[in-house]
Amino acid sequence: MALQVFTAVTGAPWESELVGALDRADHGVTVVRRCVDVADLLAAAATGVGQAALLSAELRRLDGDAVSRLLAAGVAVVGLVEPGDDDAAGRLRQLGVSRVLPADADAARIATALREAVTGAPATGRDVGDPRAALPALGVPEDPADRPAGRGRVVAVWGPTGAPGRTTVAVGVADEAARLGVSTLLLDADVYGGVVAQVLGLLDEAPGVAAAARQATAGTLDVARLARLAWAVSPRLRVLTGLARADRWPELRPQAVATVLDQARRLSELTVVDCAFCVEEDEELSFDTAAPRRNGATTTVLEQADTVLCVSGADPVALQRTVRALGHLREVLPDVEPVVVVNQVRRGPVPGDPEQEIAAALSRFAGTRVGGFLPADRRATDAALAAGRTLAEVAERSPLRTALRGLAAELAGVPAPARRGARRRG
Ligand SMILES: Nc1ncnc2c1ncn2[C@@H]1O[C@H](COP(=O)(O)OP(=O)(O)OP(=O)(O)O)[C@@H](O)[C@H]1O
Ligand SMILES: [Mg+2]
């Protein structure tokens, strides 16, 4: 059966010629509806009669949400731009359209792209205006030789409910990595209300991640704009502050967050993301594939990250929560293998040697090895909170700072500093 396709290229001078050529020749494509605008296209997609949409970059009110809705409705998307219009191609890609062709491509090529989009064959991303071509002009930092250009690493800092210390670890790792010479972006993506700005003594009216997500949805976010939205806390540390109010979570749509991470990889060698705890999916909402999901931003970050840290507390209640959270994560994202970092380790809440006992418990109940231990160090964290500064600034020689420095070196792939950092268990 021929592929049923919607077009939304109204107004483009080449529209009727293209639609005619697609329909006429034997390309295995039938245009089932010529949509006049985005609303028309979304309504058509909801009917379930089409498998793909061909749209032009000039389509008014086209944004990331519309593309997400099409994809959620099971409609694959192919974009067309005026030949040579690399800006429009880049914009479409940001909106989540991975296949973009020049409008003068012949009908056979467009039909092939539509079919590939439906079957999910990997897009080459190089048809028109590959955004990576623009990198040197933007003065993006040099990448180390061991990873491809524009692919900074992303570390997600996640963990169960109960404030195990995600923010403390995220801020500490980002600050220490920057001090070790790695250009770093600290991104607050906690959809239950971000506190990184407050912890670092920054004004929380800063536009931050919500503005970056807005620009991503509008298709206008690039490396330079992302850099402008972030605070330059030190020469190598940038901070993109979080949602000032927890009820603004719908602003962090998964597709927008994915685009922000993409640009973050181009901006910095290392991006450290402070994530919310929850990855559960609302069962009622899961029937409505286009409804916004609060935890979609978190799952997107965990899915895209190169490394996911699961920060655990070190007492029996916290460990139990970690075991449950790891179980949930396995259900929602089976391919993600988090590295467990046990924080607030101290003698008292567990009998005997705490590291040994905790490692044994997590191995028995979660089948997980512990990647590192961070000591309880209230004196240091209180000093940092009181001053709105990092541990390196106010508690340079504290045990927690030393351990975080070691963890940061490991995550950033740079030589560990002279003093030993987070202790590893084999
Ligand atoms: N290793 C540590 N030693 C002592 N106190 C710590 C340690 N790690 C974190 N804390 C303190 O525990 C509290 C909670 O930490 P943090 O805000 O980092 O947790 P969180 O997991 O981000 O919590 P939330 O769920 O609120 O996002 C803070 O007061 C912090 O200073
Ligand atoms: Mg936090």
Side-chain angles (χ1 to χ4, degrees):
M1 198 177 113
L3 194 69
Q4 317 259 77
V5 174
F6 307 119
T7 60
V9 291
T10 312
W14 30 264
E15 184 204 359
S16 24
E17 202 182 319
L18 170 68
V19 172
L22 265 181
D23 244 351
R24 203 167 42 240
D26 185 20
H27 300 306
V29 167
T30 305
V31 176
V32 287
R33 185 174 171 90
R34 290 167 69 168
C35 304
V36 294
D37 56 21
V38 168
D40 193 17
L41 179 59
L42 289 173
T47 63
V49 298
Q51 293 107 51
L54 182 66
L55 45 79
S56 69
E58 286 81 42
L59 194 62
R60 277 189 60 221
R61 300 223 171 85
L62 179 69
D63 60 12
D65 279 353
V67 174
S68 302
R69 281 173 165 267
L70 288 170
L71 298 175
V75 174
V77 181
V78 171
L80 292 180
V81 296
E82 292 292 341
D85 191 347
D86 290 353
D87 289 347
R91 197 175 87 83
L92 279 180
R93 287 212 176 80
Q94 266 200 21
L95 300 183
V97 181
S98 50
R99 283 180 175 72
V100 181
L101 296 173
D104 61 358
D106 62 26
R109 192 166 156 217
I110 293 175
T112 303
L114 286 163
R115 265 196 306 278
E116 286 176 355
V118 170
T119 55
T124 62
R126 290 187 179 276
D127 299 328
V128 176
D130 187 331
R132 274 169 283 196
L135 276 180
L138 291 168
V140 171
E142 289 274 311
D143 291 292
D146 61 346
R147 61 186 164 75
R151 289 288 297 179
R153 291 178 58 75
V154 172
V155 173
V157 183
W158 172 78
T161 180
R166 283 181 298 270
T167 301
T168 305
V169 171
V171 170
V173 163
D175 183 49
E176 298 299 343
R179 285 170 195 274
L180 290 167
V182 179
S183 72
T184 304
L185 174 71
L186 171 60
L187 198 163
D188 188 343
D190 190 333
V191 285
Y192 291 84
V195 297
V196 166
Q198 195 187 351
V199 165
L200 288 176
L202 306 171
L203 284 176
D204 62 4
E205 290 96 75
V209 71
R214 230 177 356 258
Q215 293 194 8
T217 299
T220 54
L221 186 70
D222 58 20
V223 180
R225 289 200 178 91
L226 182 62
R228 275 202 294 277
L229 292 172
W231 289 84
V233 171
S234 70
R236 289 208 180 77
L237 179 62
R238 289 186 162 97
V239 179
L240 197 61
T241 56
L243 297 178
R245 285 175 33 186
D247 62 359
R248 288 179 60 183
W249 66 264
E251 292 176 34
L252 294 191
R253 290 287 180 102
Q255 176 63 46
V257 170
T259 302
V260 173
L261 287 181
D262 255 14
Q263 298 301 332
R265 287 183 193 275
R266 287 163 201 192
L267 179 65
S268 300
E269 290 167 282
L270 180 69
T271 298
V272 180
V273 191
D274 186 5
C275 296
F277 62 94
C278 194
V279 291
E280 287 163 23
E281 291 176 319
D282 187 316
E283 284 189 13
E284 289 201 14
L285 280 181
S286 64
F287 294 107
D288 181 353
T289 46
R293 291 204 175 84
R294 185 169 205 160
N295 302 322
T298 311
T299 44
T300 299
V301 175
L302 298 183
E303 233 173 348
Q304 311 242 327
D306 300 282
T307 306
V308 173
L309 294 188
C310 171
V311 179
S312 171
D315 60 70
V317 172
L319 290 167
Q320 163 93 302
R321 285 181 167 148
T322 300
V323 171
R324 280 204 209 117
L326 290 170
H328 269 137
L329 184 66
R330 226 167 268 148
E331 280 166 27
V332 179
L333 299 171
D335 294 336
V336 170
E337 284 190 22
V339 176
V340 176
V341 172
V342 182
N343 185 30
Q344 312 203 31
V345 177
R346 60 209 184 270
R347 286 193 179 278
V350 291
D353 175 65
E355 292 190 11
Q356 245 173 36
E357 294 296 323
I358 290 167
L362 287 174
S363 156
R364 198 169 337 126
F365 296 112
T368 307
R369 273 177 35 184
V370 176
F373 291 95
L374 301 169
D377 191 351
R378 195 75 241 187
R379 185 198 290 255
T381 55
D382 277 352
L385 286 174
R389 298 191 165 269
T390 63
L391 291 168
E393 290 169 310
V394 299
E396 195 190 343
R397 292 173 196 285
S398 63
L400 181 56
R401 191 260 160 146
T402 307
L404 281 167
R405 196 168 153 89
L407 180 61
E410 231 172 283
L411 290 167
V414 296
R419 292 179 60 174
R420 282 199 71 201
R423 297 180 297 286
R424 286 183 71 88
R425 286 267 168 188

